[in-house]
Amino acid sequence: MNLRPALLTAALLLSANAFANNPALSKDEFDQLIAQPFKATHGKSGLIVEIHLKPDNSAVARKGYNDIGTWRRNGDAGYCVRWNKQRVEERCTNFVKQDGKVLGVVPPGDVTWWIERAE
């Protein structure tokens, strides 16, 4: 019996749960971060996208992925967006803190993005 796939799966589940237990950004921290475009780096692929969630609920993605869409707030420290090119259901992300960094977490608690201010 090969235990390697089972151990890998267990490690991934444990790491996802560990990230899910990190504290969310406060509403004020989230508002400050999204007041200007922010940079999101995908954890697996390394793709870097600059995202701007505008006050009129329009969303713009540029650099590594170019698209426009609409967004809405999802709680104090999260948002849901529907991109025009993808034409699929809304995708929601919540921001949490870990070791002084901001992470983008998608349901069911998987960390997918590293978030920072755009330069």
Side-chain angles (χ1 to χ4, degrees), residues 13-59:
L13 288 173
L14 287 173
S15 68
N17 287 336
F19 287 122
N21 293 325
N22 287 317
L25 265 61
S26 71
K27 182 180 183 305
D28 289 339
E29 290 170 319
F30 181 79
D31 288 344
Q32 288 174 4
L33 183 62
I34 68 164
Q36 300 294 321
F38 59 90
K39 183 171 76 170
T41 304
H42 195 272
K44 290 182 181 176
S45 70
L47 174 70
I48 298 172
V49 180
E50 186 178 286
I51 299 173
H52 192 181
L53 303 177
K54 297 182 177 187
D56 66 358
N57 292 92
S58 64

